[in-house]
Amino acid sequence: AQSVAQPEDQVNVAEGNPLTVKCTYSVSGNPYLFWYVQYPNRGLQFLLKYITGDNLVKGSYGFEAEFNKSQTSFHLKKPSALVSDSALYFCAVWTSGAGSYQLTFGKGTKLSVIP
Amino acid sequence: NAGVTQTPKFQVLKTGQSMTLQCAQDMNHEYMSWYRQDPGMGLRLIHYSVGAGITDQGEVPNGYNVSRSTTEDFPLRLLSAAPSQTSVYFCASWGRGEQYFGPGTRLTVT
């Protein structure tokens, strides 16, 4: 069965510093990987995805993620954090096949950017 | 396009009551799904549908029913509400390689 792990419940970073939010996955076959962001009392917003191609994926709001097949990781990064980046971030993997289709989420990482 | 819409935004139920959470999308997406979000648990899939007339169970289906009579609508029914179903519920549809989420319904069962 597919699974996604976000090893850090919370990440604190100073404004202007680079940030990384970690994600590892376990899935048979080629993964379709996603990052979503959730602001307080809001739904989830799509940030970026990896389907195939370049291992470095660029997304919304200056975020990027690096797909590493050997380490089964898909870490989210941003060169310079903003206070407005403070939110809950979810990594997810999409799998389909054998009549089953689903997006499996990690438990989320709370990012706090400190002014 | 309105995208994915959900009603109501908030609901309080007593244990044993039933209700239906409404979800609609206007993007002509075949795939729709329901998740619940609980603190520290991420989002867990309840049920999903790959098209009108086709539904299947996700990770946590017990206590919930769904149906898909049209492409646009995918209601979630709570048959007999329990306090363990207190949660935030998100509906989503899949299209063009990504999933679009509704704004959520915050449900409290007392």
Side-chain angles (χ1 to χ4, degrees):
Chain A
Q2 67 276 1
S3 65
V4 176
Q6 293 180 243
E8 301 154 319
D9 291 335
Q10 175 139 3
V11 170
N12 298 324
V13 63
E15 186 177 23
N17 281 4
L19 70 87
T20 298
V21 182
K22 295 179 181 177
C23 171
T24 58
Y25 65 90
S26 173
V27 62
S28 56
N30 294 321
Y32 289 1
L33 295 159
F34 298 81
W35 276 102
Y36 287 86
V37 60
Q38 185 180 35
Y39 298 100
N41 299 313
R42 303 286 296 275
L44 275 73
Q45 297 179 30
F46 170 80
L47 274 180
L48 51 80
K49 66 183 177 187
Y50 172 83
I51 304 295
T52 186
D54 289 340
N55 290 342
L56 186 64
V57 179
K58 294 190 183 297
S60 306
Y61 312 121
F63 283 92
E64 58 190 26
E66 186 169 10
F67 171 66
N68 187 317
K69 188 172 184 178
S70 63
Q71 297 185 1
T72 61
S73 67
F74 190 55
H75 301 330
L76 181 70
K77 300 181 179 184
K78 188 173 183 181
S80 177
L82 301 173
V83 173
S84 57
D85 293 330
S86 298
L88 191 55
Y89 290 81
F90 290 97
C91 182
V93 61
W94 169 263
T95 54
S96 63
S100 173
Y101 307 84
Q102 55 184 302
L103 194 62
T104 301
F105 285 85
K107 294 186 177 181
T109 298
K110 183 178 179 182
L111 174 68
S112 294
V113 180
I114 303 159
Chain B
N1 287 352
V4 180
T5 57
Q6 291 183 236
T7 55
K9 285 190 167 58
F10 302 94
Q11 182 70 49
V12 179
L13 290 178
K14 294 187 187 305
T15 297
Q17 287 184 316
S18 63
M19 78 159 295
T20 299
L21 307 185
Q22 301 292 344
C23 173
Q25 53 93 8
D26 61 358
M27 297 173 282
N28 202 33
H29 290 165
E30 293 293 334
Y31 183 96
M32 296 183 74
S33 53
W34 276 101
Y35 295 88
R36 59 178 289 173
Q37 182 180 20
D38 302 293
M41 302 290 288
L43 277 80
R44 292 181 291 170
L45 183 65
I46 304 172
H47 285 285
Y48 66 93
S49 168
V50 298
I54 306 169
T55 63
D56 205 349
Q57 296 180 351
E59 180 184 355
V60 288
N62 292 342
Y64 307 95
N65 270 1
V66 292
S67 60
R68 186 91 179 273
S69 56
T70 67
T71 299
E72 294 77 20
D73 301 300
F74 190 44
L76 178 73
R77 296 183 186 84
L78 278 71
L79 308 172
S80 177
S84 60
Q85 294 179 303
T86 293
S87 188
V88 181
Y89 292 84
F90 289 100
C91 179
S93 70
W94 175 273
R96 296 195 300 274
E98 67 179 81
Q99 193 144 6
Y100 298 81
F101 285 86
T105 295
R106 187 174 294 273
L107 175 68
T108 301
V109 183
T110 61

